[in-house]
């Protein structure tokens, strides 16, 4: 029987497949599609200190092999997430939970992260310094090495749980940002968030999404994600959760070969709500086909000559 | 409950200008209420296309859609015998119960008309008398006038240019009617105008969707009872909860 288990530092996952933040709500509503305990872990909808409505609609546009979104971090705020959303998730899911945290100021990141750190149902903190869809904050912290290091350091000081920084691809040197996070004490990295894109309606001549530019994801972005995971793995040696365009078991194997210890599935959940389950079921067959006995053996194998 | 199933195209024929009727062979047992929708996968398109159910009978599903972009254009070229991959079981649909025994008006605009047909059928089978105000741009856009009549509905057609029926807006006719409960589906300005008439009813909304089943928050709107996702908490909202100022 092929071994699908992987490790993120000290956290053991039964398999590397994790629904990405923002594509799976707070999880519990997805239990009507399949048994969530099949999943390696779940990354919760991006959470801020205070409740947010997000951006005006339209928030979605389609493009070839992907979509644009500008949800704008709609969420009920960290207190409601801890009091209502996580308990509801725990009724239907018993595996590892990743809290995804966003902020508009350093203090907000720290306060929100500390609340999740104190929540016994959260196993890992994913600090989103890469949201392209909010003004002031979000991606601003993830595009300058010094700012990325400061957020990492501040959150690490306030938290005991593993801190993973979620990085933006909208930078000229992803390795420099990753190294800055490592210097700040990050336990791991999650990449990539969405690429900043735009879709214009040919009939109206105007951008489809209300914010104009928006976050581009889907199968089209996978080569960018694989390249960045490869670079960051080489530059930092930290555990990496690879995300971006993953839709099949082959994509998981590719991402892990580049250096990812686990993999998140994002946009694909939106076009196929059973995507994660299907990938998990497909993985043993692909492993057998490629002669892989344990998935954890292939992490970063693209770097080995 | 959402399901993914393959349907076989029985008919895909033009009904009016840029408007097609698609009759599909496959499971229709998931339908609980009129006004629910399906999300259709198309070859080479990443997202599915949400289309409301017009009618259903046994294992035949009828959808009416308008060609508005390259996806629906591609769909319009599909032939009988070809298969379509549908995500079904989506949306809350219209609740006919609160309208029982009331003077009911249906207000539809353009491709907002189709889901009202299934509703009209449910209502007339329950013995309710139904008045329909159906609005279109012009004569070439009008469809299903006779189908609504065949259900026994009192049908009023309205067109922007007066080329068929009354000239003006759906609300111009609606406000002259004696009704105390309404169901509306159509473009946002029409819904706003119908809502502004102040009666009690249900409104079905349209929005660009990512997933269609509540995961992405792409179609959220503000209501008096909190944030609602058009795809799972709607598309039908109650007149008492909608707000157009947000």
């Amino acid at each position: 029987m092929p071994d699908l288990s992987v490790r993120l530092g000290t956290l053991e996952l039964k398999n590397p497949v994790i629904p990405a933040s923002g594509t799976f709500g707070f999880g519990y509503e997805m239990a009507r599609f399949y048994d969530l305990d099949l999943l390696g872990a779940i990354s919760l909808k991006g959470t801020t200190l205070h409740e947010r409505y997000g951006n005006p609609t339209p928030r979605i546009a389609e493009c070839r092999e992907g979509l644009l979104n500008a949800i704008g971090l709609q969420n009920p705020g960290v207190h409601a997430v801890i009091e209502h959303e996580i308990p509801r998730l725990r009724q239907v899911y018993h595996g590892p939970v990743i809290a995804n945290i966003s902020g508009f100021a350093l203090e907000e990141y720290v306060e929100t992260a500390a609340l999740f750190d104190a929540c016994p149902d959260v196993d890992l903190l994913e600090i989103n310094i890469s949201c392209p869809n909010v003004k002031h904050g979000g991606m601003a912290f993830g595009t300058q090495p010094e700012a990325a290091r400061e957020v990492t350091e501040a959150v690490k000081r306030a938290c005991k749980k593993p801190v993973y920084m979620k990085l933006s691809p909208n930078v000229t040197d992803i390795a420099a940002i990753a190294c800055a996070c490592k210097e700040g004490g990050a336990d791991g990295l999650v990449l990539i968030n969405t690429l900043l894109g735009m879709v214009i309606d040919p009939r109206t001549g105007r951008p489809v999404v209300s914010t104009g530019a928006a976050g581009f994801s889907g199968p089209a972005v996978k080569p960018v994600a694989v390249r960045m995971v490869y670079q960051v793995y080489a530059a930092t040696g930290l555990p990496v959760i690879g995300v971006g365009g993953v839709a099949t078991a082959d994509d998981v194997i590719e991402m892990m070969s580049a250096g990812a210890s686990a993999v998140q599935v994002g946009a694909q959940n939106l076009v196929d709500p059973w995507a994660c389950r299907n990938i998990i079921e497909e993985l043993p067959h692909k492993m057998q086909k490629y002669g892989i006995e344990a998935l954890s053996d292939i992490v970063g194998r693209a770097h080995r000559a | 409950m959402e399901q993914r199933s393959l349907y076989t195209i029985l008919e895909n024929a033009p009904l009016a200008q840029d408007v097609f009727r698609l009759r599909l062979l496959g499971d229709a047992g998931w339908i609980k209420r009129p006004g629910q929708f399906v999300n259709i996968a198309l070859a080479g398109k990443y997202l599915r296309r949400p289309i409301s159910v017009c009618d259903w009978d046994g294992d035949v599903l009828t959808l009416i859609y308008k060609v508005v972009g390259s996806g629906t254009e591609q769909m319009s070229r599909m032939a009988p015998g070809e298969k379509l991959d549908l995500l079904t079981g989506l949306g809350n649909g219209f609740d006919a119960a609160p309208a029982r025994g009331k003077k009911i008006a249906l207000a539809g605009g353009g491709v907002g008309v189709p889901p009202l047909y299934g509703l009209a059928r449910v209502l007339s089978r329950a013995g309710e008398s139904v008045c329909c105000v159906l609005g279109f741009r012009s004569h070439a856009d009008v469809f299903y006038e006779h189908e609504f009549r065949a259900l026994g509905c009192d049908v009023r057609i309205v067109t922007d240019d007066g080329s068929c029926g009354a000239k003006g807006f759906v609300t111009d006719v609606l406000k002259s009617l004696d009704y105390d409960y309404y169901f509306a589906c159509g473009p946002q300005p029409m819904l706003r105008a119908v809502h502004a008439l102040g009666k009690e009813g249900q409104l079905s909304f349209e929005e660009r969707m990512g997933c269609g089943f509540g995961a992405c928050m792409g179609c959220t709107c503000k209501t008096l009872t909190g944030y609602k996702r058009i795809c799972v908490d709607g598309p039908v909202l109650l007149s008492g909860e909608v707000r157009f100022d947000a």
Side-chain angles (χ1 to χ4, degrees):
Chain A
M1 184 64 189
D3 179 5
L4 270 68
S5 68
V6 296
R7 300 188 77 85
L8 289 170
T10 55
L11 185 65
E12 186 151 343
L13 311 186
K14 69 168 94 176
N15 66 64
V17 180
I18 306 168
S21 180
T23 64
F24 217 67
F26 288 97
Y28 53 86
E29 284 185 303
M30 299 300 284
R32 67 189 196 271
F33 293 101
Y34 57 89
D35 178 4
L36 299 185
D37 282 333
L38 291 169
L39 296 167
I42 290 179
S43 181
L44 303 180
K45 173 85 182 117
T47 301
T48 48
L49 186 57
H50 304 292
E51 180 185 36
R52 281 181 58 81
Y53 169 67
N55 293 318
T57 57
R59 297 174 170 183
I60 301 284
E62 187 190 46
C63 56
R64 280 188 204 112
E65 290 297 305
L67 77 149
L68 262 62
N69 90 81
I71 309 301
L73 295 173
Q74 181 188 335
N75 80 94
V78 61
H79 293 283
V81 170
I82 290 172
E83 280 158 42
H84 305 297
E85 306 293 336
I86 293 177
R88 286 184 75 175
L89 173 60
R90 276 303 180 209
Q91 289 175 10
V92 290
Y93 171 71
H94 310 87
V97 168
I98 299 173
N100 179 291
I101 295 149
S102 271
F104 300 88
L106 193 65
E107 303 72 39
E108 273 186 63
Y109 275 106
V110 172
E111 193 175 344
T112 310
L115 288 164
F116 277 126
D117 194 57
C119 173
D121 280 314
V122 170
D123 298 282
L124 190 146
L125 308 174
E126 181 176 287
I127 312 299
N128 181 0
I129 52 170
S130 44
C131 180
N133 293 325
V134 294
K135 288 177 190 154
H136 318 297
M139 202 169 83
F141 292 97
T143 49
Q144 295 152 342
E146 190 51 27
R149 190 184 58 76
E150 276 174 31
V151 180
T152 313
E153 236 170 41
V155 171
K156 273 302 285 180
R157 228 175 299 151
C159 300
K160 293 185 186 67
K161 287 175 180 161
V163 171
Y164 280 52
M165 306 303 288
K166 185 165 180 181
L167 305 186
S168 171
N170 304 305
V171 295
T172 43
D173 186 355
I174 189 83
I177 306 282
C179 289
C181 291
K182 187 182 181 181
E183 278 169 36
D187 298 285
L189 301 162
V190 184
L191 64 151
I192 56 174
N193 204 318
T194 53
L195 288 144
L196 206 48
M198 185 182 283
V199 169
I200 295 175
D201 185 328
R203 282 160 306 163
T204 64
R206 298 174 57 84
V208 173
V209 177
S210 70
T211 50
F216 172 33
S217 63
V221 312
K222 195 188 68 177
V224 178
V226 169
R227 182 263 295 179
M228 289 190 162
V229 166
Y230 183 93
Q231 284 180 299
V232 162
Y233 175 84
T236 68
L238 288 177
V240 172
I241 302 178
V243 49
V246 174
T248 66
D250 273 343
D251 296 340
V252 171
I253 289 168
E254 184 181 1
M255 199 63 99
M256 294 185 72
S257 303
S261 295
V263 170
Q264 292 183 350
V265 178
Q268 197 63 22
N269 291 313
L270 308 183
V271 292
D272 176 9
W274 297 275
C276 288
R277 183 196 66 184
N278 293 345
I279 292 170
I280 292 164
E281 286 174 355
E282 194 191 357
L283 267 171
H285 303 290
K286 291 290 182 179
M287 289 169 67
Q288 210 146 30
K289 185 176 167 189
Y290 305 136
I292 299 165
E293 280 171 25
L295 263 188
S296 55
D297 291 344
I298 69 165
V299 176
R301 66 176 171 166
H303 299 262
R304 303 193 278 270
Chain B
M1 194 64 171
E2 294 87 346
Q3 281 174 358
R4 184 181 171 184
S5 319
L6 281 182
Y7 289 74
T8 307
I9 297 176
L10 296 174
E11 175 199 301
N12 188 21
L15 206 57
Q17 187 169 272
D18 295 330
V19 174
F20 287 74
R21 179 168 70 183
L22 186 61
R23 290 175 65 243
L24 298 172
L25 180 67
D27 177 29
W30 55 268
I31 298 175
K32 293 190 175 66
R33 287 175 172 182
Q36 289 186 279
F37 69 95
V38 298
N39 221 350
I40 305 178
L42 294 170
K45 298 292 178 188
Y46 190 62
L47 295 178
R48 290 168 179 267
R49 265 55 183 174
I51 309 279
S52 64
V53 173
C54 172
D55 198 17
W56 66 100
D57 183 18
D59 53 5
V60 177
L61 207 58
T62 303
L63 313 177
I64 292 176
Y65 64 93
K66 185 172 186 176
V67 173
V68 291
S70 64
T72 40
E73 199 272 328
Q74 181 180 325
M75 196 156 82
S76 73
R77 283 186 274 109
M78 293 184 78
E82 287 190 71
K83 307 267 191 215
L84 274 177
D85 170 344
L86 267 60
L87 198 58
T88 63
L90 307 175
N92 58 355
F94 293 109
D95 181 7
R100 291 276 144 75
K102 293 188 174 155
K103 283 173 275 185
I104 303 166
L106 307 188
V111 276
V113 168
L116 296 177
Y117 178 77
L119 173 66
R121 185 173 59 74
V122 168
L123 290 170
S124 45
R125 276 200 192 157
E128 306 292 342
S129 61
V130 178
C131 186
C132 311
V133 185
L134 309 179
F136 301 93
R137 209 170 293 162
S138 72
H139 189 263
D141 303 295
V142 177
F143 61 89
Y144 261 44
E145 177 184 1
H146 304 293
E147 282 80 354
F148 276 92
R149 287 229 163 85
L151 294 175
C153 301
D154 173 7
V155 180
R156 319 287 176 91
I157 301 294
V158 189
T159 49
D160 293 354
D161 60 4
S163 56
C164 183
K167 181 179 192 307
F169 296 119
V170 163
T171 39
D172 295 335
V173 173
L174 190 63
K175 62 190 171 198
S176 69
L177 295 178
D178 179 25
Y179 69 101
D180 46 23
Y181 200 93
Y182 72 86
F183 296 92
C185 184
Q188 190 102 344
M190 186 206 93
L191 294 180
R192 178 194 292 259
V194 170
H195 185 256
L197 294 178
K199 299 278 176 73
E200 189 188 0
Q202 298 171 33
L203 305 94
S204 182
F205 287 80
E206 191 177 52
E207 188 53 79
R208 277 181 185 267
M209 293 177 187
C211 61
F213 48 84
C216 73
M217 321 279 162
C219 60
T220 307
C221 68
K222 290 176 182 170
T223 74
L224 297 174
T225 49
Y227 302 154
K228 300 250 167 143
R229 294 159 295 178
I230 294 299
C231 66
V232 282
D233 305 314
V236 178
L237 301 177
L238 303 174
S239 58
E241 65 182 337
V242 304
R243 47 184 283 201
F244 288 97
D245 56 331

